[in-house]
Amino acid sequence: MDLKEVKERMQNGKLYFPTDEALLSEQAEYMEILYDFNNTRPSEGEKRAELLKKLLGGVGKNCYVEPPLHANWGCNTYMGDDVYANFNLTLVDDVKITIGNHVMFAPNVTISAAGHPVEPGLRYRQAQYNLPVTIGDNVWIGAGTVILPGVTIGENTVIGAGSIVTRSIPANVVAYGNPCRVIREIGERDRKYYYRDLEIDLE
């Protein structure tokens, strides 16, 4: 299988072997940028922003990613405006990961657009497949969440801490659990209370 065919299979959900030397060499270039990003000092905000633009496929305005960031590639992840990611965001982005505007990631979130077949012989040969992940605008992803290949999360939704998101989640809901499931819609009570019985007191 030549490099062109490998890249085509990477993008269309088919099985492939990610061991091509030219592919690994290309990936290594992004790993060098990622290394530089993760070794910036807290005072080097401008440098971080520039490295993030070099690493990711697209970065909107006012994005902040707290190191360390982990990524298979980086270049297949696209962030909208005003994205905030706390430390240890992991992007298994062998295919496209799309992150909307005003998205927040708590610590230790993993977004995996790549998977491996269950069949042992194929896994022994390091077979892989990729399915894109999409996160809508104004989504909040709780700490320790894992988002699996092919998932879409609708706008305004909250994913509770520790969730394993195996299937797509609609817009405007609170969802959590393993596997993650919709618990309720976001509604009138959420406009009065910000946490349990604590009332919103902002004008």
Side-chain angles (χ1 to χ4, degrees), residues 14-82:
K14 292 188 175 183
L15 288 173
Y16 70 99
F17 300 104
T19 52
D20 183 274
E21 288 296 328
L23 187 71
L24 293 173
S25 177
E26 187 178 329
Q27 187 178 22
E29 294 177 16
Y30 289 99
M31 296 302 94
E32 293 291 330
I33 300 169
L34 181 62
Y35 179 89
D36 290 342
F37 175 84
N38 284 330
N39 285 276
T40 54
R41 300 183 67 83
S43 59
E44 295 179 309
E46 191 172 315
K47 182 178 179 181
R48 282 184 184 174
E50 287 303 312
L51 287 167
L52 199 63
K53 286 179 182 177
K54 286 177 66 177
L55 176 68
L56 301 186
V59 183
K61 298 178 292 186
N62 303 317
C63 291
Y64 182 83
V65 177
E66 183 72 47
L69 169 67
H70 311 282
N72 265 27
W73 286 82
C75 62
N76 294 319
T77 296
Y78 295 78
M79 288 185 177
D81 297 335
D82 299 296

Side-chain angles (χ1 to χ4, degrees), residues 93-104:
D93 65 337
D94 295 82
V95 74
K96 193 172 186 179
I97 294 174
T98 304
I99 299 166
N101 302 314
H102 302 280
V103 174
M104 294 194 304

Side-chain angles (χ1 to χ4, degrees), residues 171-189:
N172 300 300
V173 298
V174 174
Y176 54 81
N178 179 10
C180 185
R181 64 193 188 283
V182 175
I183 304 301
R184 63 178 179 84
E185 293 185 356
I186 294 171
E188 194 60 38
R189 179 176 172 81

Side-chain angles (χ1 to χ4, degrees), residues 84-162:
Y84 172 79
N86 214 318
F87 54 80
N88 283 326
L89 175 63
T90 297
L91 304 166
V92 187
D93 65 337
D94 295 82
V95 74
K96 193 172 186 179
I97 294 174
T98 304
I99 299 166
N101 302 314
H102 302 280
V103 174
M104 294 194 304
F105 296 99
N108 300 311
V109 170
T110 296
I111 307 171
S112 180
H116 302 280
V118 172
E119 201 281 316
L122 287 171
R123 280 190 290 105
Y124 183 86
R125 295 169 60 200
Q126 301 180 44
Q128 182 173 314
Y129 64 90
N130 308 316
L131 298 170
V133 173
T134 302
I135 298 173
D137 293 344
N138 204 34
V139 168
W140 176 22
I141 307 294
T145 292
V146 178
I147 301 170
L148 296 184
V151 163
T152 293
I153 299 173
E155 64 181 11
N156 301 322
T157 282
V158 175
I159 304 296

